[in-house]
């Protein structure tokens, strides 16, 4: 699953690391354009195909 950088708005940034458990998907990102790093935590129920 890709994301958009919250600092420079670059789209389709791939995760550097991802961890999945029964209820959540946690992804760590670093933007290749500006270097900003962030983490997302998404509920698995909202992304059934992931």
């Amino acid at each position: 699953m890709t994301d958009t950088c919250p600092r420079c708005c670059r789209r389709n940034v791939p995760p550097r690391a991802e961890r999945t458990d029964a209820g959540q998907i946690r992804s760590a990102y670093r933007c290749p354009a500006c270097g900003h790093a962030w983490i997302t935590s998404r509920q698995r129920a909202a992304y059934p195909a992931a």
Side-chain angles (χ1 to χ4, degrees):
M1 179 173 319
T2 62
D3 203 358
T4 300
C5 177
R7 181 184 285 167
C8 74
C9 297
R10 181 178 181 133
R11 302 183 99 187
N12 300 318
V13 177
R16 297 184 81 198
E18 200 162 65
R19 186 174 76 195
T20 304
D21 63 26
Q24 297 196 358
I25 303 167
R26 294 179 185 91
S27 304
Y29 297 89
R30 181 171 302 274
C31 180
C34 71
H36 183 68
W38 71 99
I39 297 172
T40 63
S41 183
R42 297 177 170 98
Q43 293 181 345
R44 284 187 61 90
Y47 300 89

